[in-house]
Amino acid sequence: MGSREVLGQAARLASSGLLLQVLFRLITFVLNAFILRFLSKEIVGIVNVRLTLLYSTTLFLAREAFRRACLSGAAQRDWSQTLNLLWLTVPLGVFWSLFLGWVWLQLLEVPDPHVVPHYGTGVVVFGFSAVVELLGEPFWVLAQAHMFVKLKVIAESLSVILKSVLTALLVLWLPHWGLYIFSLAQLFYTTVLVLCYVIYFAKILGSPESAKQQALPVSSMTDLLPSMTKSRAFVNWEEAKLTWSFFKQSFLKQILTEGERYVMTFLNVLNFGDQGVYDIVNNLGSLVARLIFQPIEESFYIFFAKVLEREKDATLQKQEDVAVAAAVLESLLKLALLTGLTITVFGFAYSQLVLDIYGGVMLSSGSGPVLLRAYCLYVLLLAINGVTECFTFAAMSKEEVDRYNFTMLALSSSFLMLSYVLTRWCGSVGFILANCFNMGIRITQSLRFIYRYYRKSPHRPLAGLSLPPVLLGTFAVSGGITAASEVRLPRSLHTTCFCSLSTLPCSRHPLPVLPEPAGQVLASSGPFP
């Protein structure tokens, strides 16, 4: 398959993923805004920070390196060996879930059971749900490698929507269940996600014509299971070595990606309520990154990995492929820069309004608006870093990946220390400032690699980061006007209550409070219907 055909598939994957994610995320956004008005900050902090960190850490350590290694390289590979390697994520996930579950239960602070009931059950179920999700890893990698455009987005979005619906119903009907609600919803989410992939491949492989049309390397569902033969090794050892290199890197990247949650969890710099507010703002601020930048990064990482050869200099590769990769990289950088600047400029003025609509006074008062304004700047850096790193990781050789790990190690240590110091100094916004510093260093490292990669060629993809002065001036004027309008807007309009748009009670105008049964701890902003 030529570079332009691969580019076309990557573009379709990104665009289709973007449109479908916008639709599904909009539905999820509304459901989460509804659920949020019936939760205490402490419950949000435990679920979204403590338990979600356990789940994401288990998944990241168990599968991230395998994903990157098995999606890299040439199209010629023994897929039975690759699938065998991917199935190793399951026992690895069991190990990490057991070890991390012990840490979460024995070494970390346990919340007050009267405020957050059933914490132990939550730890066990969230760890188990990570193992369940790993059962679908061979299906996921096979789908990504063959660029099944809609499967990934539909499966993940459908799972998230059903999870949100189940959570909303349980919060309304059985509020005294506490963490049972979120544990059941999380396990339901991972089960539906895996079933979507299994059912899709079972349908395709059940029809020989469909399997042949999709050019799949397997002909039946049993071919997706682990297999051993005497004629070849159980796994491809080159892929295994590359996996180990990516594992060392992924361990460090996880610290950088989830660093603030590790600091909150292990150093107790914020209480559970403040952790909940920070995480809500963090998720809201990263919504654009998940909707726009993540599909682009994932799709074009596959494109760059297929078009470029890891062990060769740009001058020694097929020049048509190198030129296409350079043009795509330049366009992606310009798109990321323009999108990030737009969010930064307009997000600063409208942060308080967005938080008031989304979560009511719990978010729009206090530190919420300041956090979201700082996050708008962070989104700009996220956008640029996502593009530069997807190219860098696709083009690096194994030795360069190993060298990059040392840089990530130093960056991880400095980031954690800086997060702790800045949080002690200026509160939860210190996490965002530390993330901005971390992201700036990562961008610098990637830009250096890209510059060296194309230094001896006529292509200059980094030109995508330069914008015309007129456009920069337009952004500056727009930022000044919106900031001035925010300052001059009457205070009464800043605190407008939007509960009049709904029949539901809100935290400012709750219904008359009736005595609640013992253990009914989820409601903090109003009674349940």
Side-chain angles (χ1 to χ4, degrees):
M1 184 181 295
S3 59
R4 296 191 180 277
E5 288 79 4
V6 176
L7 173 60
Q9 287 194 356
R12 287 193 296 272
L13 178 61
S15 59
S16 299
L18 175 60
L19 293 175
L20 288 170
Q21 284 208 43
V22 168
L23 174 62
F24 288 123
R25 290 286 184 181
L26 181 61
I27 299 173
T28 309
F29 180 86
V30 174
L31 289 171
N32 287 341
F34 170 77
I35 295 170
L36 187 61
R37 297 178 183 272
F38 299 98
L39 301 180
S40 69
K41 294 188 291 185
E42 288 73 21
I43 284 284
V44 174
I46 289 295
V47 173
N48 287 6
V49 178
R50 178 72 68 85
L51 297 181
T52 302
L53 183 63
L54 168 65
Y55 166 78
S56 64
T57 302
T58 301
L59 286 180
F60 203 97
L61 293 176
R63 77 182 183 189
E64 181 67 15
F66 290 86
R67 282 186 170 186
R68 289 195 173 275
C70 294
L71 287 174
S72 301
Q76 285 93 12
R77 56 158 40 104
D78 187 335
W79 268 100
S80 62
Q81 291 181 318
T82 300
L83 293 171
N84 288 341
L85 184 64
L86 288 169
W87 279 111
L88 295 179
T89 60
V90 177
L92 192 59
V94 172
F95 166 77
W96 283 117
S97 64
L98 291 175
F99 173 74
L100 294 174
W102 176 81
V103 172
W104 258 239
L105 289 173
Q106 301 298 324
L107 302 183
L108 298 181
E109 176 190 1
V110 177
D112 186 347
H114 297 290
V115 178
V116 184
H118 316 306
Y119 172 72
T121 301
V123 171
V124 173
V125 175
F126 269 73
F128 178 69
S129 67
V131 177
V132 171
E133 185 166 340
L134 290 172
L135 294 173
E137 196 61 20
F139 303 92
W140 186 92
V141 170
L142 190 60
Q144 285 293 100
H146 290 80
M147 292 188 176
F148 289 171
V149 175
K150 297 179 182 179
L151 173 60
K152 175 178 179 291
V153 176
I154 292 179
E156 294 183 357
S157 300
L158 179 63
S159 303
V160 170
I161 290 175
L162 293 178
K163 172 188 174 182
S164 298
V165 171
L166 179 62
T167 303
L169 294 176
L170 292 177
V171 164
L172 289 175
W173 294 342
L174 301 167
H176 57 283
W177 274 23
L179 289 184
Y180 284 159
I181 293 174
F182 300 95
S183 301
L184 180 61
Q186 181 67 25
L187 185 58
F188 179 70
Y189 159 77
T190 56
T191 303
V192 171
L193 180 63
V194 173
L195 286 177
C196 285
Y197 282 95
V198 172
I199 293 172
Y200 182 84
F201 276 99
K203 181 179 179 181
I204 288 182
L205 296 176
S207 171
E209 295 79 11
S210 299
K212 185 177 180 180
Q213 183 179 4
Q214 297 288 348
L216 292 175
V218 293
S219 58
S220 66
M221 291 293 289
T222 56
D223 293 339
L224 290 167
L225 298 177
S227 60
M228 296 183 64
T229 62
K230 296 181 180 180
S231 60
R232 63 177 185 274
F234 182 70
V235 299
N236 184 324
W237 289 108
E238 290 301 320
E239 282 185 342
K241 292 177 183 178
L242 185 59
T243 301
W244 173 242
S245 297
F246 277 124
F247 176 79
K248 292 181 288 185
Q249 176 188 341
S250 67
F251 186 84
L252 301 175
K253 186 178 179 181
Q254 174 69 358
I255 296 177
L256 296 174
T257 304
E258 303 280 7
E260 68 273 11
R261 288 181 171 85
Y262 288 115
V263 173
M264 282 188 279
T265 298
F266 289 95
L267 299 181
N268 297 322
V269 293
L270 299 176
N271 59 44
F272 292 127
D274 290 340
Q275 290 180 26
V277 173
Y278 172 82
D279 189 76
I280 293 170
V281 173
N282 179 64
N283 289 335
L284 186 61
S286 62
L287 187 63
V288 175
R290 295 196 303 270
L291 285 177
I292 300 177
F293 304 137
Q294 186 177 355
I296 291 175
E297 180 181 352
E298 291 179 350
S299 301
F300 284 94
Y301 171 79
I302 299 173
F303 163 73
F304 290 130
K306 285 180 175 290
V307 169
L308 303 175
E309 299 181 52
R310 286 186 178 275
E311 304 296 333
K312 289 186 179 180
D313 186 82
T315 57
L316 301 178
Q317 300 188 42
K318 187 177 179 181
Q319 291 306 299
E320 180 185 358
D321 293 346
V322 173
V324 171
V328 170
L329 178 58
E330 180 178 353
S331 299
L332 291 177
L333 287 173
K334 186 161 294 187
L335 173 64
L337 183 59
L338 290 174
T339 307
L341 281 174
T342 302
I343 293 170
T344 302
V345 168
F346 293 97
F348 184 86
Y350 300 122
S351 293
Q352 187 168 11
L353 179 62
V354 169
L355 290 176
D356 202 52
I357 295 174
Y358 185 63
V361 70
M362 181 181 75
L363 297 182
S364 61
S365 62
S367 61
V370 177
L371 286 171
L372 189 55
R373 286 169 183 148
Y375 207 95
C376 289
L377 173 62
Y378 180 50
V379 167
L380 171 61
L381 300 178
L382 273 177
I384 298 174
N385 180 72
V387 173
T388 56
E389 281 198 346
C390 86
F391 176 88
T392 299
F393 292 149
M396 275 183 171
S397 65
K398 178 182 178 299
E399 292 73 19
E400 287 171 325
V401 171
D402 289 335
R403 287 198 300 269
Y404 188 79
N405 289 337
F406 289 102
T407 304
M408 297 281 278
L409 177 61
L411 188 56
S412 301
S413 303
S414 62
F415 168 69
L416 292 177
M417 290 187 293
L418 187 62
S419 296
Y420 180 78
V421 171
L422 290 177
T423 305
R424 289 293 187 186
W425 177 46
C426 54
S428 53
V429 73
F431 284 121
I432 300 177
L433 298 178
N435 272 316
C436 289
F437 172 80
N438 154 46
M439 204 58 61
I441 299 297
R442 289 169 63 177
I443 291 172
T444 302
Q445 293 294 322
S446 298
L447 291 180
R448 288 180 57 192
F449 174 83
I450 295 171
Y451 173 77
R452 292 196 304 266
Y453 191 85
Y454 281 104
R455 180 173 50 191
K456 297 179 182 179
S457 73
H459 310 292
R460 296 294 178 264
L462 296 183
L465 293 175
S466 62
L467 297 178
V470 175
L471 184 57
L472 293 174
T474 303
F475 275 118
V477 172
S478 301
I481 293 174
T482 53
S485 66
E486 173 75 2
V487 172
R488 294 177 62 86
L489 195 64
R491 183 64 185 171
S492 60
L493 294 182
H494 282 296
T495 56
T496 300
C497 182
F498 291 88
C499 69
S500 59
L501 302 177
S502 171
T503 59
L504 298 172
C506 75
S507 57
R508 295 177 189 163
H509 305 98
L511 296 176
V513 179
L514 300 176
E516 295 180 350
Q520 188 163 323
V521 297
L522 291 183
S524 64
S525 58
F528 287 88

